Amino acid sequence: DIKDGDGKPVKFAQAGGIVSIAAPIASRFTYTLRYRGVVNLPGFAGAINAREASLTNDYWWPMIARNPAPYSVTVRGPKGWTAVGQGEQTEMKETTEGRITSFRMDLPVSYYSLSCGMYKNFVERLGTREYRCWSNSASDDSMKVQTAFNRTILDFYNQTISKYPFTGW
């Protein structure tokens, strides 16, 4: 489903994973793409198995020459699985079929990171931010060390480069 800035459908052609869309005459325009897919490729990029689906480092979204873009994504995972994505989590609800989690990434990026699995979850509030760590195998002590380490890194960048734009890590 592709629409222009006025919400009107845009014609496109598709062959495999390649989608061709004609650019309008105007030099600046907006297209909105909505698509969905079912990931069902065991062993794809070594990251999909019975306990986890990790789409990090795989190009599974629409892009133009790998230019950065903001995005929103919704994950429908099995009961008991946790979705982890970039940006801000905007929804998480349990249904009879499983868990639905949505993320909104307003900062344009050229790599999207998304995983869903049977993760152990460690969360700790350090200062003004929640730090989280998810793992299939790390101990609680290791995850606690990781959150403290990440706080040190974010504090450094906040002071030297730019304010971290999200409410959690």
Side-chain angles (χ1 to χ4, degrees):
D1 178 31
I2 303 173
K3 296 192 175 175
D4 66 15
D6 296 324
K8 295 178 184 165
V10 174
K11 291 182 181 181
F12 64 93
Q14 180 176 356
I18 307 291
V19 176
S20 176
I21 307 167
I25 297 171
S27 61
R28 290 187 57 95
F29 59 93
T30 299
Y31 282 158
T32 300
L33 286 77
R34 293 183 63 114
Y35 69 102
R36 60 186 287 168
V38 175
V39 177
N40 189 19
L41 300 170
F44 178 68
I48 296 176
N49 58 54
R51 294 181 47 87
E52 177 181 38
S54 181
L55 299 178
T56 303
N57 299 324
D58 297 314
Y59 293 109
W60 49 271
W61 60 90
M63 71 177 100
I64 300 171
R66 294 190 182 169
N67 284 322
Y71 69 96
S72 296
V73 64
T74 297
V75 179
R76 286 170 170 68
K79 285 183 180 260
W81 281 37
T82 300
V84 180
Q86 293 167 301
E88 298 291 346
Q89 181 177 304
T90 57
E91 177 183 39
M92 197 276 286
K93 66 181 178 182
E94 301 288 339
T95 69
T96 55
E97 291 83 33
R99 181 178 285 173
I100 299 171
T101 311
S102 298
F103 299 91
R104 187 187 75 248
M105 180 58 161
D106 292 334
L107 181 67
V109 292
S110 57
Y111 56 93
Y112 295 178
S113 179
L114 181 67
S115 297
C116 188
M118 297 176 67
Y119 303 130
K120 293 190 309 180
N121 182 16
F122 180 84
V123 61
E124 184 173 27
R125 181 166 275 305
L126 300 171
T128 61
R129 186 171 285 118
E130 274 192 353
Y131 290 81
R132 296 182 177 271
C133 187
W134 300 270
S135 176
N136 285 324
S137 59
S139 70
D140 289 345
D141 287 341
S142 293
M143 291 193 292
K144 183 176 180 70
V145 168
Q146 187 66 50
T147 58
F149 182 67
N150 288 334
R151 180 188 185 185
T152 303
I153 293 168
L154 260 63
D155 287 349
F156 171 79
Y157 283 113
N158 274 326
Q159 294 170 7
T160 59
I161 297 180
S162 180
K163 183 178 183 308
Y164 183 68
F166 306 109
T167 59
W169 172 267

